[in-house]
Amino acid sequence: KKDQNHLLDNQLILTANQVNLATCFMNAASKPYFTRRYPCVPCLLLAGSEIAQRKRNVFISAEDFTLLDKDGLKVLFAYLSQWDDVTVIIYYRR
């Protein structure tokens, strides 16, 4: 069982993308299907924090940030506070 969990974790890391970062800020109770299908991959959060500690820039883009509720936005804001300057670009796509 432990080896299977490790394999699953490695698969998530290999296939992770920005949606797996966005779900880290979602309330799983309000979006259970979405957060189960695209689980949060914590190593993406850690990688961003390491980039911030090195005073480097990071570009984060995910349409799925539109699914965040106000509490998720607060958590995202706290996460982004690691950087000295944050630029948010909002675009609308039909």
Side-chain angles (χ1 to χ4, degrees), residues 7-23:
L7 180 60
L8 178 61
D9 290 344
N10 285 338
Q11 284 178 319
L12 284 175
I13 291 168
L14 292 174
T15 61
N17 63 41
Q18 297 292 340
V19 69
N20 297 100
L21 178 69
T23 56

Side-chain angles (χ1 to χ4, degrees), residues 48-64:
S49 295
E50 289 173 5
I51 292 168
Q53 288 174 356
R54 294 192 319 259
K55 302 291 184 189
R56 305 298 295 184
N57 297 324
V58 64
F59 181 79
I60 300 171
S61 172
E63 291 180 22
D64 304 299

